[in-house]
């Protein structure tokens, strides 16, 4: 792949590890999926390295031009999820970033594919290693849909994001769970074990542990295996909605969060709820 300025990007050698198809059950079990360190470009179903030197030689009308930077806190960090959302023909540049004074924690909802998703939550002194997806206008609309905008998540302008590359000074946006975060004990949330952080204040849970906690709180910790529970939830939206309703007493809302709500009106979200 070639950028403006005659810069050629090299393909990531182990790209298959990040792009391999995931079964419907594993969409929940393996959330939030593998993501490469540093920058990358997803283009035509292939994965390329992207570093700061390459971007510095890209012209002003280059690969980031006209795109909106969106902080990825969960599965959107992962190439396999970007590929699922935007398709084989898409080009999505991704740059490394850090989020300060927040952690990434389990949200008090059950996603439409039965994962316990995540969201940012204030945590003074914590620094989380994430990435930023640079989305064109069409991709941003599709991302809004897949985030269940206005129902599951709000679109927000983030504070406390620092780029690891020297990039244009632009607002960075993201998504915040409307339901709040899951009380994982003692009135506190739990960070995602799969997301690296410095100065973490909360305990961490992996996806299986978070789903187990969710089932306990929603009083559906029956004799079904986790795979059976996932399959049942994926197939039954009213059952998912009932779980989310039962979680309301165990949801924690952030106080003075470091983000600002953005007004977005969009249709086509029902398939992602």
């Amino acid at each position: 792949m070639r950028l403006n300025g005659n810069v050629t990007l090299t393909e990531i050698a182990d790209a298959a590890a990040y792009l391999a198809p995931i079964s419907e059950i594993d969409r929940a079990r393996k959330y939030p999926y593998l993501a490469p360190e540093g920058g990358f470009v997803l283009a035509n179903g292939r994965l390329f390295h992207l570093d700061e030197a390459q971007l510095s030689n890209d012209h002003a009308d280059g690969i980031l031009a006209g795109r909106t930077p969106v902080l990825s806190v969960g599965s959107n960090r992962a190439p396999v999820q970007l590929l699922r959302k935007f398709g084989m023909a898409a080009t999505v540049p991704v740059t490394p970033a850090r989020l300060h004074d927040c952690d990434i924690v389990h949200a008090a909802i059950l996603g439409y594919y039965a994962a316990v998703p995540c969201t940012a939550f204030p945590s003074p002194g914590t620094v989380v290693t994430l990435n930023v997806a640079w989305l064109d206008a069409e991709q941003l609309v599709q991302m809004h849909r897949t985030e269940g905008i206005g129902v599951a998540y709000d679109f927000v302008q983030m504070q406390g994001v620092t780029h690891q590359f020297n990039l244009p000074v632009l607002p960075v946006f993201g998504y915040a769970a409307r339901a709040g975060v899951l009380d994982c004990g003692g009135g506190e949330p739990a960070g995602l074990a799969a997301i690296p952080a410095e100065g973490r204040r909360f305990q961490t849970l992996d996806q299986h542990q978070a789903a187990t906690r969710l089932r306990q709180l929603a009083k559906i910790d029956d004799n079904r295996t986790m795979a059976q529970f996932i399959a049942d939830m994926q197939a039954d939206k009213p059952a998912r909605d009932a779980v989310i309703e039962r979680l309301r007493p165990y949801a924690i809302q952030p106080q003075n969060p470091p983000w600002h709500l953005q007004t977005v009106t969009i249709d086509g979200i029902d398939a992602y709820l």
Side-chain angles (χ1 to χ4, degrees):
M1 180 181 177
R2 191 177 297 275
L3 299 182
N4 289 349
N6 204 34
V7 176
T8 299
L9 301 185
T10 58
E11 196 160 2
I12 293 177
D14 56 347
Y18 301 107
L19 294 171
I22 299 175
S23 72
E24 287 302 306
I25 297 298
D26 280 347
R27 286 187 70 190
R29 287 198 298 202
K30 293 186 176 181
Y31 181 95
Y33 323 129
L34 294 175
E37 295 182 1
F40 62 88
V41 178
L42 176 68
N44 299 314
R46 299 167 66 190
L47 203 56
F48 299 87
H49 288 287
L50 180 66
D51 63 34
E52 185 172 8
Q54 291 165 328
L55 274 179
S56 68
N57 291 320
D58 203 20
H59 293 168
D61 60 348
I63 194 169
L64 302 185
R67 292 175 176 266
T68 300
V70 178
L71 185 70
S72 301
V73 302
S75 64
N76 292 334
R77 301 161 31 263
V80 69
Q81 187 74 318
L82 298 176
L83 183 62
R84 179 185 289 274
K85 291 189 175 190
F86 302 130
M88 289 291 291
T91 296
V92 185
V94 175
T95 56
R98 306 182 89 198
L99 177 62
H100 296 257
D101 296 319
C102 280
D103 202 348
I104 306 306
V105 305
H106 299 278
I109 53 176
L110 189 66
Y112 73 95
Y113 50 93
V116 183
C118 65
T119 190
F121 191 82
S123 178
T126 302
V127 182
V128 190
T129 301
L130 300 168
N131 63 36
V132 169
W134 294 75
L135 305 181
D136 65 26
E138 183 177 344
Q139 290 166 352
L140 183 60
V141 170
Q142 177 63 6
M143 185 66 86
H144 288 339
R145 291 194 184 103
T146 65
E147 296 298 313
I149 201 74
V151 178
Y153 283 84
D154 284 324
F155 188 55
V156 297
Q157 182 177 332
M158 301 294 301
Q159 297 175 337
V161 178
T162 56
H163 295 291
Q164 301 304 100
F165 292 172
N166 183 19
L167 296 173
V169 178
L170 294 170
V172 176
F173 298 92
Y175 296 92
R178 292 170 62 91
V181 305
L182 196 63
D183 183 345
C184 292
E188 290 194 339
L192 269 69
I195 305 292
E198 300 171 9
R200 181 165 261 157
R201 303 159 63 94
F202 305 129
Q203 66 169 315
T204 60
L205 298 178
D206 63 23
Q207 180 62 205
H208 183 88
Q209 292 168 324
T212 298
R213 175 67 173 170
L214 177 147
R215 292 177 69 179
Q216 292 169 345
L217 293 176
K219 297 180 173 57
I220 48 174
D221 51 338
D222 48 37
N223 60 1
R224 284 177 291 180
T225 66
M226 191 62 74
Q228 289 170 331
F229 170 75
I230 290 168
D232 289 347
M233 291 298 105
Q234 288 176 340
D236 192 342
K237 184 180 186 304
R240 294 196 304 273
D241 291 343
V243 168
I244 294 170
E245 186 63 31
R246 291 181 182 183
L247 292 177
R248 289 186 187 278
Y250 308 103
I252 306 167
Q253 291 291 344
Q255 301 299 312
N256 302 313
W259 55 77
H260 301 293
L261 182 66
Q262 307 294 295
T263 301
V264 175
T265 302
I266 198 168
D267 57 13
I269 68 170
D270 289 351
Y272 303 99
L273 298 175

